[in-house]
């Protein structure tokens, strides 16, 4: 003690006095609560350190992709076609794959399809792009899956050349841009014919984002959707516990029968996409496969919390966690969800920065022209793997261009 300066000694005595004064035997309950709060804050600060470190590392290694000539997405084509590179794609593989998708042919610049399509509007969404590209493509056979779920599992048999819009690393399927870029997206009461054209949503969401600048947005996390996965439950429960922090509610879907299907609460009304833009923080959860709302949320210039990393579309790999969005573990409990939201609230400038980067990525790299360019590169690369000459299957119907453009 003799070596201490006078000021330090006074400080120690004052702290002792405070502990004596505020933590006397008569105030044990207060002191216990105070220590619990301090302990929680310490854990929270350590958690924040982890988030800040993840952001620093991401920014240190980040280089914006150059989408000239579709450069942002070229690795996806290389990855998906790699299983077929050594042996190529023969007619037997195509015939086996036909049972799991819709069969198409491109012959002399014309597009043909098997007569029946399981989801006609989804086929129409695909055909919009194929019809535009077919005059400049070589003759080829294609098997395109219009179901939500991929078809060629790595756990059951050899790879099959089936095109699917979404998959996990457990599938060989070749990823193509979803039909919903044009039509055939999920139909709800607000969008009875499906979400509608992506280019039109870009315009409306850009306008909504400008009307709800960052400063005007409500500092709250937001989610609306049906209970297609229990991964969403913890956010719903957190919302019920802390409505000032989160507004998350379940809506009806076609399978809804009772309030049990909306986690024992009345179903909420659906909310149009542009109304999401009034909130700073938007949660994206997968559905049966990847979520169709994903790309729309970013155009709000809101910070997207993207849950899970297994289910992908063709453009996901070019988007970087902590650069374009906040990644959330698919099994995140309410504590983790609350911590992440609080981190975003307490780091407002950083949150806005990530929100803007996410928006700019989607706006600059996911135009309909980019989607067409990806289709073109994908199909030309795929054609090079075919080991046989395609001839017209006369049982197919010719697909004609529609008046809509």
């Amino acid at each position: 003690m003799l070596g201490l300066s006078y000021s330090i000694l006074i400080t120690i005595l004052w702290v002792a006095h405070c502990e004596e004064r505020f933590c006397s035997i008569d105030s044990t309950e207060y002191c216990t609560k105070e220590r619990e709060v301090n302990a929680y804050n310490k854990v929270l600060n350590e958690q924040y350190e982890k988030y800040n470190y993840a952001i620093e590392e991401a920014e240190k290694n980040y280089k914006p992709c150059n989408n000239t000539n579709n450069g942002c997405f070229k690795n996806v084509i290389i990855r998906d076609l790699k299983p077929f590179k050594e042996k190529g794609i023969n007619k037997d593989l195509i015939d086996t794959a036909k049972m799991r998708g819709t069969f198409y042919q491109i012959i002399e610049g014309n597009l043909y399809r098997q007569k029946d399509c399981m989801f006609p509007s989804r086929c129409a969404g695909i055909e919009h792009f194929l019809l535009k590209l077919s005059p400049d493509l070589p003759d080829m056979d294609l098997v395109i899956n219009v179901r939500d779920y991929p078809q060629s599992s790595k756990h059951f048999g050899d790879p099959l050349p089936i095109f699917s819009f979404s998959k996990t690393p457990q599938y060989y399927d070749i990823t193509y841009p979803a039909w919903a870029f044009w039509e055939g997206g999920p139909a709800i009461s607000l969008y009875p014919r499906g979400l509608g054209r992506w280019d039109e949503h870009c315009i409306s969401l850009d306008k909504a984002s400008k009307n709800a600048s960052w400063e005007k947005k409500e500092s709250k996390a937001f989610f609306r959707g049906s209970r297609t996965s229990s991964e969403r439950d913890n956010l719903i429960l957190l919302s019920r516990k802390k409505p000032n922090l989160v507004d998350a509610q379940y809506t009806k879907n076609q399978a809804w029968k009772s309030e049990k299907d909306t986690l024992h609460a009345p179903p909420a009304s659906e909310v149009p996409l542009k109304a999401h833009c009034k909130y700073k923080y938007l949660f994206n959860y997968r559905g049966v496969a990847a979520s169709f709302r994903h790309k729309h949320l970013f155009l709000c210039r809101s910070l997207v919390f993207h849950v899970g990393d297994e289910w992908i579309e063709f453009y996901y790999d070019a988007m970087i966690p902590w650069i374009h969005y906040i990644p959330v573990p698919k099994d995140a409990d309410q504590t983790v969800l609350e911590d992440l939201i609080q981190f975003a609230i307490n780091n407002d400038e950083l949150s806005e920065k990530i929100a803007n980067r996410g928006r700019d990525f989607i706006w600059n790299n996911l135009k309909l022209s980019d989607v067409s360019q990806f289709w073109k590169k994908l199909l030309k690369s795929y054609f090079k793997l075919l080991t046989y000459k395609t001839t017209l299957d006369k049982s197919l119907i010719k697909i004609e261009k529609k008046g809509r453009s």
Side-chain angles (χ1 to χ4, degrees):
M1 293 287 286
L2 294 176
L4 295 175
S5 68
Y6 177 77
S7 59
I8 293 176
L9 180 59
I10 291 297
T11 302
I12 292 172
L13 292 172
W14 171 248
V15 170
H17 168 71
C18 288
E19 289 184 350
E20 176 75 22
R21 178 181 174 187
F22 293 111
C23 292
S24 66
I25 194 168
D26 296 327
S27 56
T28 304
E29 184 179 350
Y30 169 83
C31 293
T32 301
K33 289 181 178 179
E34 190 70 13
R35 291 191 189 101
E36 288 175 355
V37 169
N38 290 336
Y40 176 77
N41 287 339
K42 181 180 179 182
V43 171
L44 199 60
N45 287 334
E46 290 174 353
Q47 188 86 332
Y48 282 7
E49 283 182 18
K50 182 174 75 172
Y51 301 149
N52 281 316
Y53 177 77
I55 292 170
E56 288 172 7
E57 287 298 299
E59 291 183 336
K60 187 190 303 180
N61 299 312
Y62 174 60
K63 292 181 180 179
C65 64
N66 182 354
N67 208 33
T68 303
N69 205 26
N70 229 223
C72 289
F73 313 125
K74 66 180 181 181
N75 289 337
V76 177
I77 297 174
I78 294 170
R79 177 201 68 199
D80 286 355
L81 295 180
K82 185 177 180 181
F84 308 99
K85 192 168 183 180
E86 184 178 343
K87 296 181 179 180
I89 299 170
N90 60 38
K91 189 70 165 60
D92 289 340
L93 278 178
I94 293 293
D95 288 340
T96 302
K98 282 181 184 179
M99 296 181 290
R100 305 191 193 182
T102 302
F103 182 54
Y104 284 90
Q105 286 188 319
I106 295 173
I107 304 286
E108 296 182 354
N110 296 308
L111 180 65
Y112 300 87
R113 191 199 74 213
Q114 67 181 61
K115 185 176 180 181
D116 298 323
C117 172
M118 182 178 293
F119 300 102
S121 62
R122 295 184 177 189
C123 284
I126 292 165
E127 289 157 12
H128 166 77
F129 295 100
L130 296 186
L131 282 167
K132 281 190 170 184
L133 295 172
S134 56
D136 298 319
L137 292 173
D139 295 356
M140 67 181 77
D141 291 337
L142 297 163
V143 179
I144 301 180
N145 170 33
V146 293
R147 299 179 180 92
D148 289 329
Y149 220 76
Q151 298 296 308
S152 182
S153 171
K154 291 182 179 180
H155 300 294
F156 302 100
D158 295 327
L160 291 174
I162 302 172
F163 290 77
S164 291
F165 95 95
S166 172
K167 68 174 184 178
T168 73
Q170 307 307 313
Y171 290 86
Y172 290 116
D173 299 49
I174 302 164
T175 318
Y176 72 89
W179 51 83
F181 277 100
W182 189 254
E183 66 177 282
I188 59 177
S189 62
L190 291 173
Y191 307 103
R193 298 183 62 185
L195 283 178
R197 287 170 45 170
W198 167 240
D199 55 340
E200 293 176 351
H201 277 298
C202 286
I203 295 170
S204 64
L205 287 170
D206 187 56
K207 182 179 179 180
S209 74
K210 289 175 180 175
N211 291 335
S213 62
W214 185 260
E215 295 76 18
K216 294 179 182 178
K217 292 179 187 289
E218 192 169 344
S219 190
K220 182 183 289 190
F222 184 80
F223 173 79
R224 283 293 183 281
S226 62
R227 196 178 180 222
T228 53
S229 168
S230 61
E231 290 175 12
R232 307 173 174 193
D233 286 355
N234 278 326
L235 187 70
I236 304 298
L237 295 172
L238 179 61
S239 175
R240 294 176 186 175
K241 187 187 300 181
K242 299 197 172 183
N244 292 332
L245 188 70
V246 186
D247 181 352
Q249 300 180 60
Y250 279 138
T251 59
K252 284 185 180 181
N253 59 19
Q254 293 174 338
W256 189 90
K257 294 179 181 178
S258 70
E259 290 185 1
K260 182 181 178 181
D261 296 321
T262 40
L263 209 60
H264 309 288
S269 300
E270 291 159 345
V271 175
L273 286 167
K274 60 184 180 181
H276 287 58
C277 296
K278 66 180 281 191
Y279 298 95
K280 281 189 175 181
Y281 318 111
L282 300 176
F283 269 78
N284 180 71
Y285 286 90
R286 72 174 182 91
V288 177
S291 167
F292 288 106
R293 87 183 75 214
H294 179 270
K295 56 186 177 290
H296 298 80
L297 299 182
F298 286 92
L299 292 186
C300 278
R301 297 178 194 265
S302 298
L303 177 59
V304 174
F305 288 77
H306 179 55
V307 183
D309 60 1
E310 289 184 316
W311 287 95
I312 59 169
E313 292 190 59
F314 82 95
Y315 65 91
Y316 277 28
D317 283 354
M319 300 191 75
I320 312 300
W322 303 108
I323 295 291
H324 300 115
Y325 61 90
I326 298 291
V328 182
K330 67 178 182 179
D331 57 353
D333 61 21
Q334 293 179 51
T335 301
V336 171
L337 293 171
E338 182 178 354
D339 288 351
L340 280 167
I341 297 167
Q342 287 288 3
F343 171 76
I345 291 172
N346 294 336
N347 293 271
D348 193 63
E349 289 185 10
L350 181 59
S351 295
E352 183 182 9
K353 181 181 179 182
I354 297 173
N356 285 331
R357 281 196 301 229
R359 179 267 176 194
D360 289 346
F361 178 90
I362 296 293
W363 183 263
N364 294 328
N365 302 311
L366 214 58
K367 302 181 291 294
L368 283 186
S369 59
D370 297 313
V371 175
S372 291
Q373 181 78 343
F374 182 87
W375 263 116
K376 185 176 182 179
K377 283 188 166 296
L378 174 63
L379 294 180
K380 285 193 170 184
S381 298
Y382 163 83
F383 166 76
K384 293 176 182 178
L385 298 173
L386 296 178
T387 62
Y388 66 98
K389 182 176 174 59
T390 300
T391 57
L392 179 62
D393 181 339
K394 294 183 179 180
S395 70
L396 305 186
I397 60 172
K398 185 178 180 181
I399 304 300
E400 304 284 358
K401 288 185 179 180
K402 297 181 181 180
R404 187 184 181 200
S405 61

